[in-house]
Amino acid sequence: MKAFVLIFTLIMTLDAVAQQSVVVPMKAQTLIDAYPDMHLTYRDNKIVFPDGTEIVYDDGKQKNFVETLDYSDVEDMFSMEYDTTSAAPKYLNDCGRSRSEALFKKMYGSTAAEVQKNLVKIEWFGQQIPITKINGVDKHLTAVYQELKDRPELRKYLLQASSFYWRQVRGANRLSAHSYGIAFDINVANSNYWLWANKGKTETDSIKYANRIPMEIVRIFERHGFIWGGRWYHYDTMHFEYRPEFLGRK
Ligand SMILES: [Zn+2]
């Protein structure tokens, strides 16, 4: 009888474990795996931090393209795919421009002062660039620098970089990734930005793509967890941002 109870209990426990792993949505698991330092878990449609803070995973609202950028929940962040294979981004594929503001504020700081507390300076071709130390972003960017520093032929694309500034995206209801200390812009003079070449166009108009940044630079950043703004339909080719959830990192 005892053995029976034991086996029965064991089966029920295994079943509960299996149930639990089944109910964590794949996108939530991808997020959890991408930010191991955060020790995130998933429970009842929430991403949960160790201090008990809960971030809504899926708010259940249908959103158009602009709303997906302005009012992104965690699930919306994964509504587009980070495409490293196409020569030019597909229409309205802006994977990474959607950010759950609640999630990013919790990870990196909810005010300029809070974010600043976590900034450290890293060496970048004679510049001292402030970047967040949360999630090891400073270490990942230093690793990028180590790969680029002995490549004089690439230098003109990399000098005069900029990183942290707390601001709303112009004309939009959301914070720029630069507000969190996770974004990094390389040289403006050798970059292309969608609005420069497509003046007066709105977010859903068809636009023309342009890029001058060598893909070698892009691939180095991507290897260390940074997505590239040149893969966005609304391209911003100077822009890199620490988003390991789209790069298959663990
Ligand atoms: Zn930028």
Side-chain angles (χ1 to χ4, degrees):
M1 187 60 190
K2 255 188 184 158
F4 172 78
V5 171
L6 194 70
I7 289 163
F8 181 76
T9 310
L10 185 69
I11 288 168
M12 292 308 285
T13 308
L14 288 175
D15 191 54
V17 169
Q19 283 268 329
Q20 227 170 27
S21 59
V22 167
V23 295
V24 180
M26 209 168 68
K27 295 165 179 177
Q29 191 61 53
T30 300
L31 184 87
I32 290 165
D33 291 343
Y35 295 100
D37 292 359
M38 293 287 117
H39 303 287
L40 303 172
T41 50
Y42 175 89
R43 187 177 64 227
D44 303 332
N45 195 33
K46 307 271 174 32
I47 300 294
V48 186
F49 282 76
D51 70 359
T53 303
E54 295 180 329
I55 308 289
V56 173
Y57 170 69
D58 180 4
D59 64 15
K61 290 178 188 151
Q62 290 290 320
K63 293 166 196 160
N64 64 30
F65 175 72
V66 175
E67 288 165 344
T68 300
L69 299 180
D70 278 345
Y71 308 107
S72 179
D73 58 27
V74 172
E75 189 256 350
D76 294 326
M77 285 167 36
F78 294 91
S79 61
M80 294 171 248
E81 199 177 332
Y82 190 71
D83 180 2
T84 57
T85 56
S86 304
K90 297 198 176 76
Y91 179 64
L92 299 191
N93 190 350
D94 280 359
C95 177
R97 281 182 83 209
S98 289
R99 301 171 200 93
S100 158
E101 210 154 274
L103 175 74
F104 279 77
K105 283 181 166 174
K106 176 64 188 165
M107 288 203 290
Y108 298 108
S110 61
T111 62
E114 268 182 41
V115 173
Q116 273 168 318
K117 267 192 276 182
N118 297 311
L119 298 182
V120 291
K121 292 202 169 148
I122 67 137
E123 165 71 22
W124 188 266
F125 301 100
Q127 276 184 281
Q128 297 293 307
I129 301 276
I131 199 91
T132 188
K133 63 175 192 274
I134 306 286
N135 291 321
V137 181
D138 60 327
K139 293 190 177 67
H140 297 300
L141 190 56
T142 297
V144 171
Y145 177 64
Q146 290 302 323
E147 289 201 45
L148 290 170
K149 73 178 173 33
D150 301 320
R151 303 291 303 275
E153 76 282 13
L154 298 175
R155 198 153 296 180
K156 68 168 181 172
Y157 302 102
L158 303 168
L159 300 177
Q160 292 162 300
S162 61
S163 58
F164 171 72
Y165 43 94
W166 182 271
R167 67 165 177 87
Q168 298 281 127
V169 173
R170 196 185 315 235
N173 180 37
R174 60 183 181 271
L175 279 170
S176 153
H178 289 277
S179 306
Y180 305 117
I182 59 170
F184 189 76
D185 288 343
I186 57 174
N187 191 280
V188 178
N190 292 298
S191 297
N192 295 85
Y193 179 63
W194 71 279
L195 265 179
W196 296 342
N198 299 274
K199 291 216 177 349
K201 297 275 187 180
T202 71
E203 293 255 15
T204 49
D205 287 333
S206 270
I207 55 175
K208 198 163 66 49
Y209 183 68
N211 170 47
R212 287 167 288 157
I213 304 295
M215 292 311 288
E216 205 176 348
I217 292 176
V218 173
R219 282 189 283 269
I220 290 171
F221 271 96
E222 287 177 342
R223 264 210 303 281
H224 295 285
F226 294 83
I227 59 165
W228 177 45
R231 298 215 193 270
W232 294 339
Y233 187 68
H234 298 93
Y235 54 92
D236 181 359
T237 70
M238 75 194 93
H239 182 91
F240 292 91
E241 166 177 345
Y242 188 70
R243 301 294 295 281
E245 65 269 39
F246 300 122
L247 293 165
R249 290 168 58 88
K250 298 262 163 156

